[in-house]
Amino acid sequence: MMETDEVCGITAIDRKKVEHVEQNLPESNRIEKMAGFFQAFSDPTRLRIVLSLELEELCVCDIATIAGVSVSAVSHQLRYLRNMNVVKKRKQGKMVYYTLKDEHIREVIRTVFEHIREG
Amino acid sequence: MMETDEVCGITAIDRKKVEHVEQNLPESNRIEKMAGFFQAFSDPTRLRIVLSLELEELCVCDIATIAGVSVSAVSHQLRYLRNMNVVKKRKQGKMVYYTLKDEHIREVIRTVFEHIREG
DNA sequence: TTATTATTTGAACGATTGTGCAAATGTAAT
DNA sequence: ATTACATTTGCACAATCGTTCAAATAATAA
C-alpha cells in the first residue's frame, strides 16, 4: 500500500509533496494576475498589435491595417490592453496614438521572444 | 490634407510607419506560435499546474488536489500542456508523473514572474 | 479470473472570447 | 451651423474554452 489519504474526497497520493507545493505556490490572487498578464499576449491579433507598438507609435487606423482586422476590433483590443496596463494612448486632434506603456513590457516580450526562437 | 491613402478599403494614415512595421514584424506563423505559447500560461488552473511542476514532480491525482479541479480536468490540461511542449510525463506503474519539459520553460516563467512582481 | 485504482478520452454544457456592424462620440475643417 | 473623419461603444453572433460526467484504458492487487 502506498501513502494514500482521503482529502476532500480526492485521493492524495503523496501528502508531503502536495503540502510542499501548496506552501511554496504563490497565492491565488497573484497566480490569477499572472495568468491575466499572459492572456494579454495569447491572441495573435493582440500580440501583433503589441509587437507593432514595440516598433512604432501608431494610430488606431494604421494598427487595423497592420493587424488585418476592422478598426472596431482593434479599438476593442486596445481598450483591453489599456486595462491590462500594456499600452497607453496619446490624443492628438482626431487621432489617438498608441504606444507600449513602459520598458518593462518590452523586456518581457523580448525575453519570451528570444526563448521562443531557441525552443 | 494628411498623407492619406486607400489600401484594401482601409484608410492608411501613415504609409511609411505601416510599411516599416510590416517589414520588421515577425511572420504570421511565428506570431501565432508565440501567442500559443502565451496561451499555455493564460489560464489560472493551467498556470498553477505549471508553477507546481516547477517545484515538484507530481502525479495527476496530486495535481488535481493542488489545482482544486477534477482529475479529468487536470488530465485534459496536461494533454494540452504536453502538446505545447511545456510538460512531459513519466509512467511508473499505474501512476503518471509530470514535470516541466526543460529548463527553458523554467527560465521564461521565472523571468515573467519577476517582472510581474515589479510591475 | 475479478476487483480496485490511476489515468485518459469523448461528449455535453455553460462561460468566455474575438469579431463586425451600426450607432454614438469627439474633433477638426468648410 | 454642417460635413467629414477617427475613434469608441453596445449589441449580437459564431467560435473557442474549461469544466464535469460517464465510459474506456491501463496496470496492479487479491
Side-chain angles (χ1 to χ4, degrees):
Chain A
M1 201 51 146
M2 279 193 136
E3 36 175 331
T4 301
D5 213 341
E6 284 290 332
V7 180
C8 310
I10 301 173
T11 312
I13 301 296
D14 191 331
R15 194 121 75 86
K16 277 186 189 169
K17 274 192 190 175
V18 171
E19 277 176 11
H20 171 236
V21 170
E22 280 176 344
Q23 282 166 13
N24 289 86
L25 217 52
E27 39 176 341
S28 292
N29 278 349
R30 185 170 286 285
I31 292 181
E32 276 163 34
K33 208 173 165 186
M34 201 173 165
F37 180 83
F38 280 116
Q39 193 169 22
F41 308 100
S42 69
D43 173 68
T45 300
R46 219 150 46 212
L47 182 57
R48 177 174 279 111
I49 292 174
V50 171
L51 293 174
S52 300
L53 295 181
E54 202 196 330
L55 297 169
E56 288 275 12
E57 183 190 57
L58 294 166
C59 69
V60 178
C61 180
D62 284 352
I63 297 173
T65 305
I66 294 165
V69 293
S70 73
V71 169
S72 172
V74 166
S75 186
H76 282 301
Q77 298 293 19
L78 286 171
R79 178 163 55 141
Y80 177 97
L81 291 170
R82 238 185 307 128
N83 291 338
M84 297 298 289
N85 277 307
V86 174
V87 304
K88 62 168 182 263
K89 60 164 151 178
R90 177 177 72 85
K91 206 163 185 181
Q92 181 177 313
K94 290 190 280 197
M95 322 279 295
V96 180
Y97 291 96
Y98 281 84
T99 46
L100 294 193
K101 187 147 190 188
D102 52 34
E103 197 58 34
H104 160 229
I105 300 290
R106 284 195 159 80
E107 201 175 324
V108 172
I109 291 170
R110 255 185 237 124
T111 304
V112 174
F113 194 69
E114 282 305 307
H115 281 285
I116 294 279
R117 290 194 80 156
E118 294 161 18
Chain B
M1 199 52 146
M2 280 196 133
E3 35 177 331
T4 301
D5 213 343
E6 283 291 331
V7 181
C8 309
I10 301 172
T11 312
I13 302 295
D14 192 331
R15 193 120 75 85
K16 277 186 189 170
K17 274 191 189 176
V18 171
E19 277 174 11
H20 171 236
V21 170
E22 279 175 344
Q23 281 165 13
N24 289 87
L25 217 51
E27 40 177 340
S28 292
N29 278 349
R30 183 170 287 283
I31 292 181
E32 277 163 33
K33 209 175 166 187
M34 201 175 165
F37 179 83
F38 280 115
Q39 194 167 24
F41 308 100
S42 69
D43 172 70
T45 300
R46 218 150 47 213
L47 181 58
R48 178 174 278 110
I49 292 173
V50 171
L51 293 174
S52 300
L53 296 180
E54 202 197 329
L55 297 169
E56 288 275 10
E57 182 190 57
L58 294 166
C59 69
V60 178
C61 181
D62 284 353
I63 297 173
T65 303
I66 294 164
V69 292
S70 73
V71 170
S72 173
V74 166
S75 185
H76 282 299
Q77 298 292 18
L78 286 169
R79 178 163 54 142
Y80 177 97
L81 291 170
R82 238 186 304 128
N83 291 339
M84 295 300 288
N85 277 307
V86 174
V87 305
K88 62 170 185 264
K89 59 165 153 177
R90 178 177 71 85
K91 207 164 185 180
Q92 181 179 313
K94 289 190 281 197
M95 320 279 295
V96 180
Y97 291 96
Y98 281 83
T99 46
L100 294 193
K101 188 149 190 187
D102 51 34
E103 198 58 35
H104 159 228
I105 301 290
R106 283 194 161 79
E107 203 175 324
V108 173
I109 291 169
R110 255 185 238 123
T111 303
V112 174
F113 193 69
E114 282 305 308
H115 281 285
I116 294 279
R117 289 193 81 156
E118 293 161 19

